[in-house]
Amino acid sequence: GSPQNFKGLTLDVLIALILGGTSLKGGEGSIIGMVLGALIVGLVGNGLNLMGVSPYYQLVFNGSILVIAVVIYQGLGKKFQ
């Protein structure tokens, strides 16, 4: 296949990892968490496509999900330390 096939999926993968519970500081995540994160990202992307949302706004929405997930993750990390 072409290396260009998966161009632009980096943000989706990063969001799926964070939603799945993988630590950005080098911790461990679970396979089930990663699969759930990927399902959430896929469902959100598919839903936005079906609603006819512009690709630009889809990126904005995905970026918002990423920021919210990181803020929640940081808040929970401080709470349990």
Side-chain angles (χ1 to χ4, degrees):
S2 172
Q4 299 294 322
N5 286 345
F6 299 106
K7 184 178 180 182
L9 290 179
T10 307
L11 182 63
D12 291 340
V13 170
L14 186 60
I15 294 169
L17 284 171
I18 292 173
L19 288 178
T22 301
S23 173
L24 294 177
K25 296 180 181 179
E28 294 181 4
S30 67
I31 293 174
I32 294 190
M34 177 57 203
V35 169
L36 289 175
L39 284 173
I40 291 170
V41 170
L43 288 172
V44 167
N46 191 27
L48 291 173
N49 279 333
L50 290 175
M51 291 189 307
V53 176
S54 164
Y56 171 76
Y57 290 113
Q58 289 182 24
L59 282 174
V60 170
F61 189 79
N62 285 342
S64 306
I65 291 174
L66 177 62
V67 169
I68 291 168
V70 168
V71 167
I72 290 172
Y73 179 76
Q74 291 296 326
L76 289 177
K78 290 179 183 176
K79 183 178 179 179
F80 290 116
Q81 289 180 352

Coordinates of all heavy atoms in Angstrom, one line a residue:
G1 N 0.8 -1.2 0.0 CA 0.0 0.0 0.0 C 0.8 1.3 0.0 O 2.0 1.2 0.2
S2 N 0.2 2.3 -0.2 CA 0.9 3.6 -0.3 C 1.1 4.2 1.2 O 0.2 4.0 2.0 CB 0.0 4.6 -1.0 OG 0.5 5.9 -0.9
P3 N 2.2 4.8 1.4 CA 2.4 5.4 2.7 C 1.4 6.5 3.0 O 1.3 6.9 4.2 CB 3.8 5.9 2.7 CG 4.4 5.5 1.4 CD 3.4 4.9 0.6
Q4 N 0.8 7.1 2.0 CA -0.1 8.2 2.2 C -1.5 7.7 2.6 O -2.4 8.5 2.9 CB -0.3 8.9 0.9 CG 1.0 9.5 0.4 CD 1.5 10.6 1.3 OE1 0.7 11.4 1.9 NE2 2.8 10.7 1.5
N5 N -1.8 6.4 2.7 CA -3.1 5.9 3.0 C -3.5 6.3 4.4 O -4.7 6.5 4.6 CB -3.1 4.3 2.9 CG -3.1 3.9 1.5 OD1 -3.4 4.6 0.6 ND2 -2.9 2.6 1.3
F6 N -2.6 6.3 5.4 CA -3.0 6.6 6.7 C -2.6 8.0 7.2 O -2.5 8.3 8.4 CB -2.4 5.5 7.6 CG -3.0 4.2 7.3 CD1 -2.2 3.2 6.7 CD2 -4.3 3.8 7.6 CE1 -2.7 2.0 6.3 CE2 -4.8 2.6 7.3 CZ -4.0 1.7 6.6
K7 N -2.3 8.9 6.2 CA -1.9 10.2 6.6 C -3.1 10.9 7.3 O -4.2 10.9 6.8 CB -1.6 11.0 5.3 CG -1.0 12.4 5.5 CD -0.7 13.0 4.2 CE -0.2 14.4 4.4 NZ 0.2 15.1 3.2
G8 N -2.8 11.6 8.4 CA -3.8 12.3 9.1 C -4.5 11.5 10.2 O -5.4 12.0 10.9
L9 N -4.1 10.3 10.4 CA -4.7 9.5 11.5 C -3.9 9.6 12.8 O -4.3 9.0 13.8 CB -4.8 8.0 11.0 CG -5.7 7.7 9.9 CD1 -5.7 6.2 9.6 CD2 -7.2 8.1 10.3
T10 N -2.9 10.4 12.8 CA -2.1 10.5 14.0 C -2.9 11.0 15.2 O -2.8 10.5 16.3 CB -0.9 11.4 13.8 OG1 -0.2 10.9 12.7 CG2 0.1 11.4 15.0
L11 N -3.7 12.0 15.0 CA -4.6 12.6 16.0 C -5.6 11.6 16.5 O -5.8 11.4 17.7 CB -5.3 13.8 15.5 CG -6.2 14.6 16.5 CD1 -5.3 15.1 17.7 CD2 -6.9 15.7 15.8
D12 N -6.2 10.8 15.6 CA -7.1 9.8 16.0 C -6.5 8.7 16.9 O -7.0 8.3 17.9 CB -7.8 9.1 14.8 CG -8.7 10.1 14.0 OD1 -9.1 11.1 14.6 OD2 -8.9 9.8 12.8
V13 N -5.3 8.3 16.5 CA -4.5 7.3 17.3 C -4.2 7.8 18.7 O -4.4 7.1 19.7 CB -3.3 6.8 16.5 CG1 -2.4 5.9 17.4 CG2 -3.7 6.1 15.3
L14 N -3.7 9.1 18.7 CA -3.4 9.7 20.0 C -4.6 9.8 20.9 O -4.5 9.5 22.1 CB -2.8 11.1 19.8 CG -2.2 11.8 21.0 CD1 -1.1 11.0 21.6 CD2 -1.7 13.1 20.6
I15 N -5.7 10.2 20.4 CA -6.9 10.3 21.1 C -7.4 8.9 21.7 O -7.8 8.8 22.8 CB -8.1 11.0 20.3 CG1 -7.7 12.4 20.0 CG2 -9.4 10.9 21.1 CD1 -8.6 13.1 19.0
A16 N -7.3 7.9 20.8 CA -7.7 6.6 21.2 C -6.8 6.1 22.3 O -7.3 5.4 23.3 CB -7.6 5.6 20.0
L17 N -5.5 6.4 22.3 CA -4.6 5.9 23.3 C -4.9 6.6 24.6 O -4.9 6.0 25.7 CB -3.1 6.3 22.9 CG -2.5 5.4 21.9 CD1 -1.1 6.0 21.5 CD2 -2.3 4.0 22.5
I18 N -5.2 7.9 24.6 CA -5.4 8.6 25.8 C -6.8 8.2 26.4 O -6.9 8.0 27.6 CB -5.4 10.1 25.6 CG1 -3.9 10.5 25.3 CG2 -5.9 10.9 26.8 CD1 -3.8 12.0 24.9
L19 N -7.8 8.1 25.6 CA -9.1 7.6 26.1 C -9.0 6.2 26.6 O -9.8 5.8 27.5 CB -10.2 7.7 24.9 CG -10.6 9.1 24.5 CD1 -11.6 9.0 23.4 CD2 -11.2 9.8 25.7
G20 N -8.1 5.4 26.0 CA -7.9 4.0 26.5 C -7.2 3.9 27.8 O -7.1 2.8 28.4
G21 N -6.6 5.0 28.3 CA -6.0 5.0 29.6 C -4.5 4.9 29.5 O -3.8 4.7 30.6
T22 N -3.9 4.9 28.4 CA -2.4 4.9 28.3 C -1.8 6.2 28.7 O -2.2 7.2 28.3 CB -2.0 4.6 26.8 OG1 -2.6 3.4 26.4 CG2 -0.5 4.5 26.7
S23 N -0.8 6.1 29.6 CA -0.2 7.3 30.1 C 0.8 7.9 29.1 O 1.5 7.2 28.5 CB 0.6 6.9 31.4 OG 1.4 8.0 31.8
L24 N 0.8 9.2 29.0 CA 1.7 9.9 28.1 C 3.1 10.0 28.7 O 4.0 10.4 28.1 CB 1.2 11.3 27.8 CG -0.1 11.3 27.0 CD1 -0.6 12.7 26.8 CD2 0.1 10.6 25.6
K25 N 3.2 9.7 30.0 CA 4.5 9.8 30.7 C 5.2 8.4 30.8 O 6.1 8.3 31.5 CB 4.3 10.3 32.1 CG 3.7 11.7 32.2 CD 3.5 12.1 33.6 CE 2.9 13.5 33.6 NZ 2.7 14.0 34.9
G26 N 4.8 7.5 30.0 CA 5.5 6.2 29.9 C 4.9 5.1 30.7 O 5.6 4.1 31.0
G27 N 3.7 5.2 31.1 CA 3.0 4.1 31.8 C 2.5 3.0 30.9 O 2.8 3.0 29.7
E28 N 1.7 2.2 31.5 CA 1.2 1.1 30.7 C -0.3 1.3 30.6 O -1.0 1.7 31.5 CB 1.4 -0.3 31.5 CG 2.9 -0.7 31.6 CD 3.1 -2.0 32.3 OE1 2.1 -2.6 32.6 OE2 4.2 -2.4 32.5
G29 N -0.8 0.8 29.4 CA -2.2 0.8 29.2 C -2.7 -0.6 29.0 O -1.9 -1.5 29.0
S30 N -4.0 -0.8 28.9 CA -4.5 -2.1 28.6 C -5.0 -2.3 27.2 O -5.3 -1.3 26.5 CB -5.6 -2.4 29.6 OG -6.7 -1.6 29.3
I31 N -5.0 -3.5 26.7 CA -5.5 -3.7 25.4 C -7.0 -3.4 25.3 O -7.4 -2.8 24.3 CB -5.2 -5.2 24.9 CG1 -3.7 -5.4 24.8 CG2 -5.9 -5.5 23.6 CD1 -3.3 -6.8 24.6
I32 N -7.7 -3.8 26.3 CA -9.2 -3.5 26.3 C -9.4 -2.0 26.3 O -10.3 -1.5 25.6 CB -9.9 -4.2 27.5 CG1 -9.8 -5.7 27.3 CG2 -11.3 -3.7 27.7 CD1 -10.5 -6.5 28.3
G33 N -8.6 -1.2 27.1 CA -8.8 0.2 27.1 C -8.5 0.8 25.8 O -9.2 1.7 25.3
M34 N -7.5 0.3 25.1 CA -7.1 0.8 23.8 C -8.2 0.5 22.8 O -8.6 1.4 21.9 CB -5.8 0.2 23.3 CG -5.3 0.6 22.0 SD -5.2 2.4 21.8 CE -5.3 2.5 20.0
V35 N -8.8 -0.7 22.8 CA -9.8 -1.0 21.9 C -11.1 -0.2 22.2 O -11.7 0.3 21.2 CB -10.2 -2.5 22.0 CG1 -11.5 -2.9 21.3 CG2 -9.1 -3.4 21.5
L36 N -11.4 0.1 23.4 CA -12.5 1.0 23.7 C -12.3 2.4 23.3 O -13.2 3.0 22.7 CB -12.8 0.9 25.2 CG -13.4 -0.3 25.8 CD1 -13.5 -0.3 27.3 CD2 -14.8 -0.6 25.2
G37 N -11.0 2.9 23.4 CA -10.7 4.2 23.0 C -10.8 4.3 21.4 O -11.4 5.3 20.9
A38 N -10.4 3.3 20.7 CA -10.5 3.2 19.3 C -11.9 3.2 18.8 O -12.3 3.8 17.9 CB -9.7 2.1 18.7
L39 N -12.8 2.4 19.6 CA -14.2 2.4 19.2 C -14.9 3.7 19.4 O -15.7 4.1 18.6 CB -14.9 1.3 20.1 CG -14.6 -0.2 19.7 CD1 -15.3 -1.1 20.7 CD2 -15.2 -0.4 18.3
I40 N -14.5 4.4 20.5 CA -15.1 5.7 20.8 C -14.7 6.7 19.6 O -15.6 7.4 19.1 CB -14.7 6.2 22.1 CG1 -15.3 5.4 23.2 CG2 -15.0 7.7 22.3 CD1 -14.8 5.7 24.6
V41 N -13.4 6.7 19.3 CA -13.0 7.6 18.2 C -13.7 7.2 16.9 O -14.1 8.1 16.2 CB -11.4 7.5 18.1 CG1 -11.0 8.2 16.8 CG2 -10.8 8.1 19.3
G42 N -13.8 6.0 16.6 CA -14.4 5.5 15.4 C -15.9 5.9 15.3 O -16.4 6.4 14.3
L43 N -16.6 5.7 16.4 CA -18.0 6.1 16.5 C -18.3 7.6 16.4 O -19.2 8.0 15.7 CB -18.6 5.5 17.8 CG -18.8 4.0 17.9 CD1 -19.3 3.6 19.3 CD2 -19.8 3.5 16.9
V44 N -17.4 8.3 17.1 CA -17.5 9.8 17.0 C -17.3 10.3 15.5 O -18.0 11.1 15.0 CB -16.6 10.5 18.0 CG1 -16.5 12.0 17.7 CG2 -17.1 10.3 19.4
G45 N -16.2 9.7 14.9 CA -15.9 10.1 13.6 C -17.0 9.7 12.6 O -17.4 10.5 11.7
N46 N -17.5 8.5 12.7 CA -18.6 8.1 11.9 C -19.9 8.9 12.1 O -20.5 9.3 11.1 CB -18.9 6.6 12.1 CG -19.8 6.0 11.1 OD1 -19.8 6.5 9.9 ND2 -20.5 5.0 11.5
G47 N -20.2 9.2 13.3 CA -21.3 10.0 13.6 C -21.2 11.4 13.0 O -22.2 11.9 12.4
L48 N -20.0 12.0 13.1 CA -19.9 13.3 12.5 C -20.0 13.3 11.0 O -20.5 14.2 10.4 CB -18.5 13.9 13.0 CG -18.4 14.3 14.5 CD1 -16.9 14.7 14.8 CD2 -19.3 15.4 14.8
N49 N -19.4 12.2 10.4 CA -19.6 12.1 9.0 C -21.0 12.0 8.5 O -21.5 12.6 7.6 CB -18.8 10.9 8.5 CG -17.3 11.2 8.3 OD1 -16.9 12.3 8.1 ND2 -16.5 10.2 8.4
L50 N -21.8 11.1 9.3 CA -23.2 10.9 8.9 C -24.0 12.2 9.1 O -25.0 12.4 8.4 CB -23.8 9.8 9.8 CG -23.3 8.4 9.5 CD1 -23.8 7.4 10.5 CD2 -23.7 8.0 8.1
M51 N -23.6 13.1 10.1 CA -24.3 14.3 10.3 C -23.9 15.4 9.3 O -24.4 16.5 9.2 CB -24.1 14.8 11.7 CG -24.8 14.0 12.7 SD -24.7 14.7 14.4 CE -23.0 15.1 14.7
G52 N -22.9 15.1 8.4 CA -22.4 16.0 7.4 C -21.5 17.1 7.9 O -21.5 18.2 7.3
V53 N -20.9 16.9 9.0 CA -20.0 17.9 9.6 C -18.7 18.1 8.7 O -18.2 17.1 8.3 CB -19.6 17.5 11.1 CG1 -18.6 18.5 11.6 CG2 -20.8 17.4 11.9
S54 N -18.3 19.3 8.5 CA -17.1 19.6 7.7 C -15.9 18.9 8.3 O -15.8 18.9 9.5 CB -16.9 21.1 7.6 OG -15.7 21.4 7.2
P55 N -15.0 18.4 7.5 CA -13.7 17.8 8.0 C -12.9 18.8 8.9 O -12.3 18.3 9.9 CB -12.9 17.5 6.8 CG -13.9 17.3 5.7 CD -15.0 18.3 6.0
Y56 N -13.0 20.0 8.6 CA -12.3 21.0 9.5 C -12.9 21.0 10.9 O -12.1 20.9 11.9 CB -12.4 22.4 8.9 CG -11.9 23.5 9.8 CD1 -10.6 23.7 10.0 CD2 -12.8 24.3 10.6 CE1 -10.1 24.7 10.9 CE2 -12.4 25.2 11.4 CZ -11.0 25.4 11.6 OH -10.6 26.4 12.5
Y57 N -14.2 21.0 11.0 CA -14.8 21.0 12.3 C -14.7 19.6 13.0 O -14.7 19.5 14.2 CB -16.3 21.4 12.2 CG -16.4 22.9 11.9 CD1 -16.9 23.3 10.7 CD2 -16.0 23.9 12.8 CE1 -17.0 24.6 10.4 CE2 -16.1 25.2 12.5 CZ -16.6 25.6 11.3 OH -16.7 26.9 11.0
Q58 N -14.5 18.6 12.2 CA -14.3 17.3 12.8 C -12.9 17.3 13.5 O -12.8 16.7 14.6 CB -14.3 16.2 11.8 CG -15.7 15.9 11.2 CD -15.7 14.8 10.2 OE1 -14.8 13.9 10.2 NE2 -16.7 14.8 9.4
L59 N -11.9 17.9 12.9 CA -10.6 18.0 13.5 C -10.7 18.9 14.8 O -10.0 18.6 15.8 CB -9.6 18.6 12.6 CG -9.0 17.7 11.5 CD1 -8.1 18.5 10.5 CD2 -8.2 16.6 12.1
V60 N -11.4 20.0 14.7 CA -11.6 20.8 15.9 C -12.3 20.0 17.0 O -11.9 20.1 18.2 CB -12.4 22.1 15.6 CG1 -12.8 22.8 16.8 CG2 -11.7 23.0 14.6
F61 N -13.3 19.2 16.7 CA -14.0 18.4 17.7 C -13.1 17.4 18.3 O -13.0 17.2 19.5 CB -15.2 17.8 17.0 CG -16.1 17.1 18.0 CD1 -17.0 17.8 18.8 CD2 -16.1 15.7 18.1 CE1 -17.9 17.2 19.7 CE2 -16.9 15.1 19.1 CZ -17.8 15.8 19.8
N62 N -12.3 16.7 17.4 CA -11.3 15.7 17.9 C -10.3 16.3 18.8 O -9.9 15.8 19.8 CB -10.7 15.0 16.7 CG -11.6 14.0 16.1 OD1 -12.6 13.6 16.7 ND2 -11.3 13.6 14.9
G63 N -9.8 17.5 18.4 CA -8.8 18.2 19.3 C -9.4 18.6 20.6 O -8.8 18.5 21.6
S64 N -10.7 18.9 20.6 CA -11.4 19.3 21.9 C -11.5 18.0 22.8 O -11.3 18.1 24.0 CB -12.8 19.8 21.6 OG -12.7 20.9 20.8
I65 N -11.8 16.9 22.2 CA -11.8 15.6 22.9 C -10.5 15.3 23.5 O -10.4 14.9 24.7 CB -12.3 14.5 22.0 CG1 -13.8 14.7 21.7 CG2 -12.1 13.1 22.7 CD1 -14.3 13.6 20.7
L66 N -9.4 15.6 22.8 CA -8.0 15.3 23.2 C -7.7 16.2 24.4 O -7.2 15.7 25.5 CB -7.0 15.5 22.1 CG -5.6 15.4 22.5 CD1 -5.3 14.0 22.9 CD2 -4.7 15.8 21.3
V67 N -8.0 17.5 24.3 CA -7.7 18.4 25.4 C -8.5 18.0 26.7 O -8.0 18.0 27.8 CB -8.0 19.9 25.0 CG1 -8.0 20.8 26.2 CG2 -7.1 20.3 23.9
I68 N -9.8 17.7 26.5 CA -10.6 17.4 27.7 C -10.1 16.1 28.3 O -10.0 16.0 29.5 CB -12.1 17.2 27.2 CG1 -12.7 18.6 26.9 CG2 -12.9 16.5 28.3 CD1 -14.0 18.5 26.2
A69 N -9.7 15.1 27.5 CA -9.2 13.8 28.0 C -7.9 14.1 28.8 O -7.7 13.5 29.9 CB -9.0 12.8 26.9
V70 N -7.0 14.9 28.3 CA -5.8 15.2 29.0 C -6.0 15.9 30.3 O -5.4 15.6 31.3 CB -4.8 16.0 28.1 CG1 -3.6 16.5 28.9 CG2 -4.3 15.1 26.9
V71 N -6.9 16.9 30.3 CA -7.3 17.6 31.5 C -7.8 16.7 32.6 O -7.4 16.7 33.8 CB -8.2 18.8 31.2 CG1 -8.8 19.4 32.5 CG2 -7.5 19.9 30.4
I72 N -8.8 15.8 32.2 CA -9.3 14.8 33.1 C -8.3 13.9 33.6 O -8.2 13.6 34.8 CB -10.5 14.1 32.4 CG1 -11.7 15.0 32.2 CG2 -10.9 12.9 33.3 CD1 -12.8 14.4 31.4
Y73 N -7.4 13.4 32.7 CA -6.4 12.5 33.1 C -5.4 13.1 34.1 O -5.0 12.5 35.1 CB -5.6 12.0 31.8 CG -4.5 11.1 32.1 CD1 -4.7 9.7 32.4 CD2 -3.2 11.5 32.1 CE1 -3.7 8.9 32.7 CE2 -2.1 10.6 32.3 CZ -2.4 9.3 32.6 OH -1.4 8.4 32.9
Q74 N -5.0 14.4 33.8 CA -4.1 15.1 34.8 C -4.8 15.3 36.1 O -4.2 15.1 37.2 CB -3.7 16.4 34.2 CG -2.8 16.3 33.0 CD -1.5 15.7 33.3 OE1 -0.9 15.9 34.4 NE2 -1.0 14.9 32.3
G75 N -6.1 15.6 36.1 CA -6.8 15.8 37.4 C -6.9 14.5 38.2 O -6.7 14.5 39.4
L76 N -7.2 13.4 37.5 CA -7.3 12.1 38.2 C -5.9 11.7 38.7 O -5.8 11.1 39.8 CB -7.8 11.1 37.3 CG -9.3 11.2 36.9 CD1 -9.7 10.1 35.9 CD2 -10.2 11.1 38.2
G77 N -4.9 12.0 37.9 CA -3.5 11.6 38.3 C -3.1 12.3 39.6 O -2.5 11.7 40.5
K78 N -3.4 13.6 39.8 CA -3.1 14.3 41.0 C -4.0 13.9 42.1 O -3.5 13.9 43.3 CB -3.3 15.8 40.7 CG -2.3 16.4 39.8 CD -2.6 17.9 39.5 CE -1.5 18.4 38.6 NZ -1.8 19.8 38.2
K79 N -5.2 13.5 41.8 CA -6.1 13.0 42.9 C -5.6 11.7 43.6 O -5.7 11.6 44.8 CB -7.5 12.8 42.3 CG -8.6 12.5 43.3 CD -9.9 12.3 42.7 CE -11.0 12.0 43.7 NZ -12.3 11.8 43.1
F80 N -5.0 10.8 42.8 CA -4.6 9.5 43.3 C -3.2 9.5 43.8 O -2.7 8.5 44.2 CB -4.8 8.4 42.3 CG -6.3 8.2 42.0 CD1 -6.8 8.4 40.8 CD2 -7.1 7.7 43.0 CE1 -8.2 8.2 40.5 CE2 -8.4 7.4 42.8 CZ -9.0 7.7 41.5
Q81 N -2.5 10.6 43.7 CA -1.1 10.7 44.2 C -1.0 11.1 45.6 O -1.8 11.7 46.2 CB -0.2 11.6 43.3 CG 0.0 11.0 42.0 CD 0.9 11.9 41.1 OE1 1.2 13.0 41.5 NE2 1.3 11.4 40.0

